[in-house]
Amino acid sequence: MWEAIRRWFDPADLRSVGEPPDYRFSLANERTFLAWLRTGLALVGGGLAAAQFLPPLPLTHLREVIAVALLLLGGAVAVRAVDHWARTERAIRLGQELPASRFPAILALAVGAGAVLLVVAVLVRAVGEP
């Protein structure tokens, strides 16, 4: 694990393996990385917005749970983005199959579960109001 983290910060190490790839592939990999980073930033922004602007919800600490979950998910997406970028760049340079990941499915399930949680909160609030 520490070796992988060290590679994130050492571009010379990454360039020392394999052959220089077609720049289009490296740039596409970088665009994917930036898209994941934007997703992470959006989740962090959503977490901050939930903490600051959501009114108190009928379930105790639900607002805080939503905010913290979004912030943690945003951080996880950002870290996962750099790891996937490095692994993909290495695979491209070595002419290997691109690394597969379950993370997109996990992220989609987490976002879906969060949406269901918010629907429940909205319905509980709507039913509880006179």
Side-chain angles (χ1 to χ4, degrees):
M1 178 177 156
W2 294 113
E3 184 65 24
I5 293 173
R6 187 189 62 75
R7 285 186 190 143
W8 299 350
F9 298 101
D10 188 5
D13 180 64
L14 186 62
R15 291 185 176 150
S16 69
V17 297
E19 300 291 323
D22 184 336
Y23 288 110
R24 292 175 294 176
F25 297 129
S26 287
L27 293 173
N29 187 31
E30 188 171 310
R31 284 192 298 274
T32 303
F33 164 72
L34 292 173
W36 278 107
L37 210 52
R38 283 191 299 271
T39 302
L41 286 171
L43 289 166
V44 168
L48 291 174
Q52 291 296 313
F53 301 118
L54 273 182
L57 297 173
L59 302 175
T60 307
H61 299 298
L62 180 58
R63 179 178 61 181
E64 289 79 12
V65 168
I66 291 169
V68 169
L70 287 171
L71 291 168
L72 290 175
L73 193 57
V77 167
V79 170
R80 189 269 177 193
V82 70
D83 181 60
H84 189 73
W85 171 82
R87 290 186 305 127
T88 300
E89 190 69 20
R90 186 177 179 87
I92 290 172
R93 292 185 70 87
L94 293 172
Q96 297 175 339
E97 191 171 329
L98 297 181
S101 176
R102 293 184 181 102
F103 191 78
I106 293 169
L107 179 63
L109 289 175
V111 170
V116 169
L117 190 62
L118 286 172
V119 167
V120 169
V122 167
L123 291 176
V124 167
R125 185 179 177 118
V127 170
E129 289 183 1

